[in-house]
Amino acid sequence: MSAGRPLTKIERKKYNRAAHERKIRQDLIAQHGNDLGTFYYWLRLMNIRGTQAFRDGDTVFIREVALALENVYRRHAG
């Protein structure tokens, strides 16, 4: 429920996707540790949603995910 009303189909789909992504992130962190799990999560996100963004021409999303990947990498390689 949101704002005292049931969610619309689109809102429910976004909510379910976000909940699924949170669960995957938590599972990866639990399995691999905080930094490596986060790195794997961002790789997964870049692979799936980056491809969609690339097809749609959304280079900002790709830049943001690439920066997040680089930040995690630099912490370990740094």
Side-chain angles (χ1 to χ4, degrees):
M1 295 281 269
S2 176
R5 61 173 174 75
L7 297 174
T8 64
K9 185 177 181 179
I10 293 171
E11 291 170 335
R12 191 173 53 245
K13 192 173 188 176
K14 285 182 182 179
Y15 175 80
N16 288 341
R17 177 177 288 187
H20 181 68
E21 290 292 330
R22 278 191 302 275
K23 182 184 180 314
I24 288 172
R25 184 176 188 173
Q26 291 170 350
D27 291 346
L28 286 171
I29 289 173
Q31 184 178 5
H32 300 286
N34 190 36
D35 288 334
L36 189 57
T38 302
F39 184 75
Y40 285 154
Y41 170 75
W42 283 109
L43 277 177
R44 180 186 180 281
L45 196 67
M46 182 64 164
N47 186 26
I48 294 170
R49 299 196 51 211
T51 302
Q52 294 168 349
F54 178 74
R55 287 181 187 148
D56 294 340
D58 184 13
T59 57
V60 174
F61 176 80
I62 294 170
R63 241 182 262 121
E64 289 173 356
V65 173
L67 181 61
L69 279 170
E70 182 181 7
N71 288 338
V72 174
Y73 172 76
R74 285 184 186 268
R75 267 188 260 153
H76 287 282

